[in-house]
Amino acid sequence: MSTSLTPTRPVPPAPAPASAKPGKRRARALTWAQVRSSLPAALRKLDPRELLGSPVLFVVELGAVVTTVLAVVEPSGFAIAIAIWLWLTVLFGTLAEAIAESRGKAQASSLRATQKQTTARRVDAPADTLATGTGLDRLPTVEVPSSSLAVGDVVVVAAGETIPGDGDVIEGVASVDESAITGESAPVIRESGGDRSAVTGGTVVLSDQIVVRITAPAGSTFVDRMIALVEGSERQKTPNEIALNVLLTTLTIVFVLAVATLQPFAIYSGERQSLLVLIALLVCLIPTTIGALLSAIGIAGMDRLVQRNVLAMSGRAVEAAGDVDVLLLDKTGTITHGNRFATEVMPVGQVTAQELAAAARLSSLADETPEGRSIVDLVERVYPSVAAEAHDGGELADAELVPFTAQTRMSGIDLPTSGPNAGPGDLRRIRKGAGSAVGRWVHASGAHVSDAAAAELAAHIEAVSSQGGTPLVVAEQVGRGPARVLGVVRLKDVVKDGLRERFDELRAMGIRSVMVTGDNAITARAIAAEAGVDDVLAEATPEDKMALIRREQEGGRLVAMAGDGTNDAPALAQSDVGVAMNTGTTAAKEAGNMVDLDSNPTKLIEIVEIGKQLLITRGALTTFSVANDIAKYFAILPAMFLALFPQLGVLNIMQLSSPESAILSAVIFNALIILVLVPLALRGVKYRPSSASDLLRRNLLIYGVGGLIAPFIGIKLIDLVVSALPGF
């Protein structure tokens, strides 16, 4: 190929399989290093003002303060031990939240490292000139700090330079290294005039040059928002979390009243209970386990998304993902790769596949569109002998390129020739394009296409169209002779790997998938069948997408939408969960409440799984917390009233050594179980696609029955240790 005909547009690398993406930066649930580094933050959270947001832990801390005072006024080994373990109970609760937050802060630190002050080459021109969007790279520029850029400024970024701020490419095309943001080493293509025009500040241009219009002021870029979100500074409690907090507060009030009424009854019965024992009973009966872990569960859910390169704008979006019923996916760039690719050559009549491939390749050498490049790639891959026999350097030296125009609907090449029908100055003309346009060109040359050839050509075109592809007809004319049709090149939207299996998983979760596209119904149905989508909305306008989402929502269903284009922005905003691809436009990313940094639509399955995992984890630990209170009744209540009512001895089924040992063992278990469950709260309960009834049954069996049995075993083992200590 001659140098002058080599495309300057960078070719995007082949996408990695979907299976290679998940969990690539997944961290261990808990390490001792995390515990040590989180201890100072946990101690700071012991401030009562910090604990007011967690009523359960606030009550425990009040109890710890009172028992500490009692231990000072009337020192005893029992009182000191109770005071110490109550403080540890509060500390373990704040430690769980601190560890969850530290993981987010570690993510934020790595993101903050990508931010640095850079010098930007701002185009120095009047606003009306900047508005044209063409020829801006040839205008004079002035160097300014990136921090001084304002919305609307236009900057030029060349190969090797850092993009100074968030913006849209308005001129040019380049490959960009986004590894600092996405963690992916493969460069991506950013170009003007499409759905891949958005660029992020801090990323680096690797080739060519682009002109970028800044869309976010310094200090509020995409990375700035990511840092604030993963640090948790903008995290608000979700409706489910608020509802559970209300329930926990109510239960705490109920148990406070219940324990408070025990003293009058005890006095009436002649067995006054110490305040120390009543506080221990209260702390053991209120839902301290889930109260201590609730915040950590929510923070960890968002952190699991960050580990998978998904940024959730709010915890509400994560929870909504767990309840999604309908999933809408845009076809282009989401289900398919976004560009049509040549997959097959289909010769007509006596033409061989090699002849058609050679002509198609020649007509595409100077075609810089993705379709044209894919034809060259197909021929070189499937027909290597054709490419090897070509001598592009000499053969194309005097070639004249015929670019595609909307009027001709064809492109091609004119080559010097010396065939039998050629005279001096005659050319070999090759054209490819829409069937009707090429047909008119062939007839204009005086050629007559036989009925058999015409029927075969029509059959090829119909076959390609009916399967959702695009047929390109190739023809040639040598000298002044009649032109002849060589055959058809099949272009098709290529479905991304692994989607069918992912959609099978969605169905197992009870989620219906709908592909939304502006394509005609035939093409849409073909792509949907290949991808394994449940339903299709074809020839859809932005208004049609909005109407579909509203109909589903009016039926009480939660809708998730994945998209990357400006035309997807209204639907992303209307959806309960709107996941924008990072390769998409700024409008799409602003409209969604999640951004997939890998731009992998199959990630939506993981998002749903993480949402369900968050809800299941919260439900499982709530079930466990309530269930393990039963064992504490059998430990503390007999210990409190055994002297007055010896008949309560039958309730001492654990055969605990003494009243003091029983009470202290229950308090110690109550504290330690929080620490034991921290890794589970951070990692989340493993989700398996199944029905709601199966999930409930599994939750009750494992965490209900487990929460009932574990305390009996734990308290008994602790009692054996405590009873061996002096004074017990």
Side-chain angles (χ1 to χ4, degrees), residues 454-469:
E456 187 178 3
L457 178 64
H460 286 332
I461 293 174
E462 173 62 25
V464 173
S465 300
S466 64
Q467 295 174 15

Side-chain angles (χ1 to χ4, degrees), residues 229 234-239 241 298 301-302 305 312-321 593-594 614 618:
L229 287 165
E234 294 184 14
R235 181 182 177 271
Q236 296 179 346
K237 291 184 178 179
T238 63
E241 196 172 350
M302 294 187 70
L305 279 181
M313 302 301 182
S314 68
R316 182 192 297 265
V318 184
E319 284 193 354
N593 50 23
M594 290 189 188
L614 172 63
R618 188 180 293 157

